[in-house]
Amino acid sequence: MTATTTFRERLYVTWWIWPLPLLAAALLAAEVHMGFPGVRSWLPYVILLPLTVVLIVRMGSTKVEVSDGELRAGDAHIPLDLLGDVEIIAPEDRRKAMGPHLDPAAYVVHRGWVKPLVRVRVNDPDDSTPYWVISTRRPEELAAAIKS
């Protein structure tokens, strides 16, 4: 049996976010370097810079996928037949959707560097989650995959 995937996206961290954390790690390593001679002077660079890269890559490992009759976002998944209305939230309305209009019981997969959002209503009477809010760079494609 083969898996049918109608939508797949990885919410990777964009290139313009990388320099600041790497610079901060390098400055922290330089401060430790100044205080210790010998082997301990270069050890902070070996530890902090790769650790920063791993943290940035880990932040970008979130997947959004519609396959095999399920919506998967982050670590959660839900069958498509339990989903209701799909609403695309424009980047300019994102602040309201994630602020005063956000239900505290909602499931949220939000990445600040991805502007558009999709809100999907949950029609499961056994689930207390009213809707899912998902960041995506291709909201129209995700909405179409959920509806089909």
Side-chain angles (χ1 to χ4, degrees):
M1 186 168 150
T2 60
T4 55
T5 301
T6 55
F7 179 86
R8 180 179 291 163
E9 179 180 27
R10 182 176 293 275
L11 302 178
Y12 59 88
V13 178
T14 56
W15 68 270
W16 50 268
I17 292 178
W18 285 71
L20 189 59
L22 288 173
L23 179 65
L27 288 174
L28 182 60
E31 282 201 30
V32 174
H33 169 107
M34 289 190 296
F36 295 103
V39 172
R40 291 183 294 179
S41 66
W42 57 266
L43 198 56
Y45 296 102
V46 172
I47 294 172
L48 288 175
L49 291 174
L51 181 63
T52 303
V53 169
V54 166
L55 288 174
I56 293 171
V57 169
R58 179 72 179 120
M59 286 174 54
S61 67
T62 304
K63 290 181 191 174
V64 177
E65 183 177 58
V66 177
S67 66
D68 294 332
E70 283 190 332
L71 169 63
R72 294 182 182 92
D75 295 330
H77 59 91
I78 187 168
L80 293 177
D81 58 343
L82 295 178
L83 299 177
D85 296 334
V86 179
E87 177 187 0
I88 296 174
I89 300 170
E92 56 271 6
D93 298 328
R94 179 176 65 134
R95 184 177 209 125
K96 287 181 187 172
M98 292 303 296
H101 297 166
L102 182 67
D103 188 324
Y107 177 71
V108 178
V109 176
H110 175 61
R111 298 297 178 260
W113 53 87
V114 179
K115 302 295 183 203
L117 296 171
V118 172
R119 183 179 358 211
V120 184
R121 298 275 172 205
V122 176
N123 292 335
D124 185 2
D126 297 330
D127 193 349
S128 61
T129 305
Y131 56 84
W132 286 22
V133 178
I134 304 167
S135 291
T136 177
R137 289 186 174 89
R138 303 182 335 243
E140 290 83 12
E141 291 179 41
L142 177 58
I146 293 170
K147 289 177 186 176
S148 64

